[in-house]
Each structure stands twice: as C-alpha cells, then as structure tokens.
Amino acid sequence: MKLQRKNRVRALAVGALAVSGALALTACGSDDTSGAGAGAAKPSNIKCEGKGKLLASGSSAQKNAMDVWVQAYSGACKGTEINYQPTGSGAGVTTFLQGQTAFAGSDSPLKPDEITKSKQVCKGGQAIDLPMVGGPVAIGYNVPGVDNLVLDAPTLAKIFDSKITKWNDPAIKKLNPGAKLPALKIQAFHRSDDSGTTDNFTKYLKGAAPGDWKHEPAKKWEGTGGQAASGSAGVSSQVKQTSGAISYFELSYATAGKIPTVKLNTGAKAPVDATVDNASKAISEATQAGKGNDLALKLNYTTKAEGAYPITLVTNEIACDKGNKPETLAATKSFLTYIASKDGQSALKQLGYAPLPPEIADKVRKTVTTLS
C-alpha cells in the first residue's frame, strides 16, 4: 500500500509538472513564453527565490496536495528544500507560534488568542490566514453489501455520538429503503489529534443538527464513545480495514483507498455526493471573516442549494504578515506564490481537492507579495 501511494503521488506530481510547464532549473523565474510553438512545453512561471531548508507543518488534510506541490517546486528550485510535516492543524499552529516553522497549515482559521500570541513571533506584525486548499470532508464507510448509502445530519450526529449503534437502525433504514442493511455494529472512528477536519465536521453537525449534536465544535473530539486514530491517514486506514466502520476525512483519502462515501440528504431535491465540484458550490457561498490581510473564510455548513456538498473545509497557510524570519522569507513567498498560482491550483482537482475560487486565489497572491 505504501508503494502504491508513493507511485500515485509520483504520477500526480508528473501531472502537476505538466500543468505547470517544463519545470527545468533554467526556467526558474522566467515568464517569457515567446517562441513556444503549438504543443510545446511552456517555461515555468515559478520564481525560485531564497535557498536552504523551509520547515512547515500542520494540516494532514492537505498532505496529498503538499506532496505534489513540493515535488513540482523542488523540480524547479533545486536550491530550496521544503519539509512539510502533516502533524495535524493544532500541532502545526502550536509549532508555528513557537517560532519553529516558516508557515503552518490549518483547516480552521486562527482564533483571536492565537493571533494575539503570534505577535510574539511575528515581530511588528501578526499571523494571518491564507486560504489555499478547498475540498469536501467525505464520510467514508465499510458496510459489506452496501455500496450506496444516504445519511443526513441528525443521523450522522447520532452515529458519532453513540446514539445509533447498528447499521440496520430504523433511522438509517428510512434514508435507504432499498438497501440491505446488516445487523452489524457501527464502528465510528474520530481523530485522536487536534484537527481542523474535526473542527469543520463538528461545525457541520452543530449547524445542521443542533438538536442532536450538543457538543461545541472544536479541533479536539468531544463526541461520546467511538474509537480514535491519528491523522486523516489513520482514520481512513481504519475504515478500510474494519467491517462496520465509518469516519470523516478528506476526499483524497477516500479516492486513494477506494473507500465508498456517504451521500448527504441536505434537504435539496436529491442526495449530494462528496465531489470536488459539489464542494466548490458550497465554498462559493463562503464570506471573508478575517480583517485586513487576514483572509479567513466563513463557510456555510447548512446550505440546501442543489448539488452543494456542505461538509467542506478550507486549509489555510498561516504566516506572519510582518516579522517573518529573514532567512526563510524569500523562499516562503516564492513557494506560497506558486501554490496559489493558476498552475498550483490546477493540480488540485485530480487529487480530490477543490481549487480556490479565482477571486479568492487572486487576493491570496496579492497578499503573499506583501509579506515582510
């Protein structure tokens, strides 16, 4: 399985390279596409600035995207080594606030107290959210004989709070009248680490089923019962190998593991699949919640628009607006500019992520240029 995953990432990286153009070292910093014949590879628009090692950590939701981005960028910028560790959003923000990394990945926007604390690291400035990766949080399941499953927010809330414990429960039967649901125990898995994915999933449960989900949304799991595993890779692996299992993780993990995903009954005319396009429809309803250069978004978890998948997340890269470390500033801006570019974003869809809406991506790129 590890070998297959490596091969898949390598293949996707090649695709990203193709999308970005020929990422030869000689093309670094070149925007000149004159003279390129029809079908010829265009020079890369990656501007390789800064050298050395760039340390970052955080969201495991964006790991598959980071793997491809890092390989593509490293293919162009030989003098820069980027080391991203998918430790989880909570751990990533903590490490950044300790001054140990150049940037962090978080599936939840910074909290006010985290912004205040960041001023100790960002001398003369503060940390800001830069939206970078969008996509659906899929509900993956492993129920023998069931390959088409519909659930709604109240039922999911009861499943993940240990109030529904069998797959042939009347509530599940009502949503799936034609399915042969077994009298199998439900094995609900949640994240053991502080996770922005958990935060977004529980925001959905709280927003769409407040009468059934009494816990406050948080990065730390607050539900009753269930079993825990570390990271998106951990919970998706448990679903893959455990009969009766169900959990939440990014669509890319479901795609890679060939794990079936739940269709959501949102109140729209038809149940909604967890797809990139359906997630994009929901993300397009987001509004900016941050102030100034903080581009944090507020998502609509209760949308009933046709074809809009409401369990979405947007992963932010966390960086200082001012006071970034001089030795890594140039490389940080160079890398963030690339991943927010049309080339970087266009590589996301094949990975199961939703590219940023153009107007948001444009704001991110402009903001990155102002980092100092």
Side-chain angles (χ1 to χ4, degrees), residues 340 357-367:
E359 62 275 12
I360 296 177
D362 185 56
K363 284 184 179 180
V364 171
R365 290 192 292 269
K366 288 179 180 178
T367 301

Side-chain angles (χ1 to χ4, degrees), residues 23-370:
L23 296 184
L25 180 61
T26 55
C28 285
S30 173
D31 289 311
D32 182 14
T33 58
S34 60
K42 295 182 179 180
S44 165
N45 61 8
I46 292 179
K47 294 183 179 181
C48 304
E49 299 178 352
K51 293 185 178 181
K53 180 177 289 189
L54 198 64
L55 299 178
S57 65
S59 167
S60 64
Q62 68 173 0
K63 177 187 181 299
N64 294 335
M66 273 292 173
D67 285 346
V68 170
W69 281 337
V70 168
Q71 288 194 39
Y73 185 85
S74 298
C77 306
K78 302 295 185 181
T80 305
E81 178 185 349
I82 300 172
N83 186 335
Y84 181 82
Q85 296 296 319
T87 55
S89 297
V93 171
T94 296
T95 303
F96 175 80
L97 294 178
Q98 293 172 344
Q100 298 180 32
T101 51
F103 68 90
S106 177
D107 306 322
S108 296
L110 291 164
K111 295 179 179 179
D113 63 313
E114 292 172 334
I115 293 177
T116 299
K117 188 175 181 180
S118 74
K119 296 178 181 180
Q120 300 175 20
V121 175
C122 307
K123 303 300 182 182
Q126 66 177 46
I128 57 173
D129 297 279
L130 298 170
M132 204 65 73
V133 182
V137 177
I139 309 298
Y141 66 95
N142 181 346
V143 183
V146 180
D147 55 10
N148 187 13
L149 183 67
V150 176
L151 296 174
D152 59 13
T155 305
L156 280 169
K158 292 172 186 174
I159 286 173
F160 281 92
D161 210 24
S162 300
K163 293 182 174 64
I164 291 179
T165 59
K166 295 284 188 179
W167 278 110
N168 63 346
D169 186 275
I172 302 177
K173 281 186 174 182
K174 185 177 180 179
L175 291 165
N176 299 273
K180 295 181 179 180
L181 297 165
L184 179 67
K185 181 181 178 181
I186 295 175
Q187 307 279 357
F189 285 90
H190 58 264
R191 292 278 291 271
S192 60
D193 51 318
D194 285 0
S195 161
T197 309
T198 295
D199 192 25
N200 282 274
F201 178 54
T202 54
K203 281 178 180 175
Y204 163 74
L205 295 178
K206 186 69 172 180
D212 297 291
W213 189 259
K214 302 297 185 180
H215 313 283
E216 288 303 313
K219 293 179 182 178
K220 183 178 179 61
W221 183 255
E222 300 290 346
T224 303
Q227 302 177 64
S230 179
S232 296
V235 291
S236 61
S237 177
Q238 289 296 330
V239 171
K240 179 76 173 179
Q241 66 190 23
T242 306
S243 180
I246 186 171
S247 190
Y248 56 92
F249 39 82
E250 296 68 41
L251 181 61
S252 60
Y253 288 89
T255 302
K258 296 182 179 179
I259 300 169
T261 60
V262 168
K263 293 181 181 180
L264 289 179
N265 181 336
T266 63
K269 292 180 181 179
V272 185
D273 282 308
T275 69
V276 170
D277 290 338
N278 290 346
S280 293
K281 290 180 181 179
I283 293 173
S284 68
E285 298 183 18
T287 56
Q288 183 175 339
K291 298 179 180 179
N293 283 338
D294 189 328
L295 304 182
L297 300 175
K298 181 179 180 180
L299 300 171
N300 180 7
Y301 295 100
T302 60
T303 179
K304 294 182 180 179
E306 297 299 324
Y309 184 84
I311 316 180
T312 60
L313 61 74
V314 173
T315 301
N316 303 287
E317 311 310 335
I318 309 297
C320 296
D321 59 355
K322 298 178 182 179
N324 288 279
K325 296 178 180 179
E327 62 271 23
T328 57
L329 175 60
T332 297
K333 293 176 69 173
S334 172
F335 180 66
L336 294 181
T337 296
Y338 161 60
I339 67 178
S341 71
K342 291 181 180 179
D343 290 345
Q345 289 292 305
S346 65
L348 292 177
K349 195 168 183 179
Q350 61 183 316
L351 292 166
Y353 298 106
L356 294 174
E359 62 275 12
I360 296 177
D362 185 56
K363 284 184 179 180
V364 171
R365 290 192 292 269
K366 288 179 180 178
T367 301
V368 170
T369 65
T370 68

